[in-house]
């Protein structure tokens, strides 16, 4: 079985941020990131912290659900 979909879900909104559903998108993403918990990733010009990764079998297809938390870079700027 192949991975058919990678879904990124915001923990606070429970909304999909981004869905990769083609082989090219999935391969490109998996080559770029190791998908480990606490990894920082960029999606749609925003930065997220990976909280949890879940592998699900849905209708005989493997889906990877990545739960992330948005990192507000402006709020987290160091002050001098």
């Amino acid at each position: 079985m192949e991975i058919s979909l990678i879904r990124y879900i915001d923990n606070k909104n429970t909304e999909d941020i981004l869905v990769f559903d083609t082989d090219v998108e999935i391969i490109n993403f998996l080559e770029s990131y190791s998908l480990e918990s606490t990894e920082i990733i960029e999606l749609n010009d925003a930065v997220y912290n990976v909280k949890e990764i879940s592998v699900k079998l849905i209708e005989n297809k493997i889906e990877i659900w990545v739960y992330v938390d948005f990192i507000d870079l402006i709020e987290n700027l160091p002050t001098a």
Side-chain angles (χ1 to χ4, degrees), residues 21-52:
D21 59 359
T22 67
D23 289 344
V24 172
E25 290 174 325
I26 291 169
I27 290 168
N28 287 341
F29 186 82
L30 293 176
E31 286 178 346
S32 301
Y33 296 97
S34 59
L35 276 187
E36 295 179 12
S37 188
T38 71
E39 183 170 357
I40 306 296
I41 59 175
E42 182 181 339
L43 303 169
N44 293 338
D45 296 328
V47 180
Y48 296 88
N49 186 19
V50 176
K51 288 296 186 186
E52 181 184 343

Side-chain angles (χ1 to χ4, degrees), residues 1-2 8 11 14 19 36 44 47 57 71-73 77:
M1 272 190 260
E2 297 179 351
Y8 298 90
N11 276 333
T14 62
V19 175
E36 295 179 12
N44 293 338
V47 180
L57 182 62
I71 298 174
D72 187 343
L73 296 178
L77 281 176

Side-chain angles (χ1 to χ4, degrees), residues 49-61:
N49 186 19
V50 176
K51 288 296 186 186
E52 181 184 343
I53 301 162
S54 179
V55 179
K56 301 186 183 284
L57 182 62
I58 298 176
E59 296 178 8
N60 290 329
K61 294 183 180 177

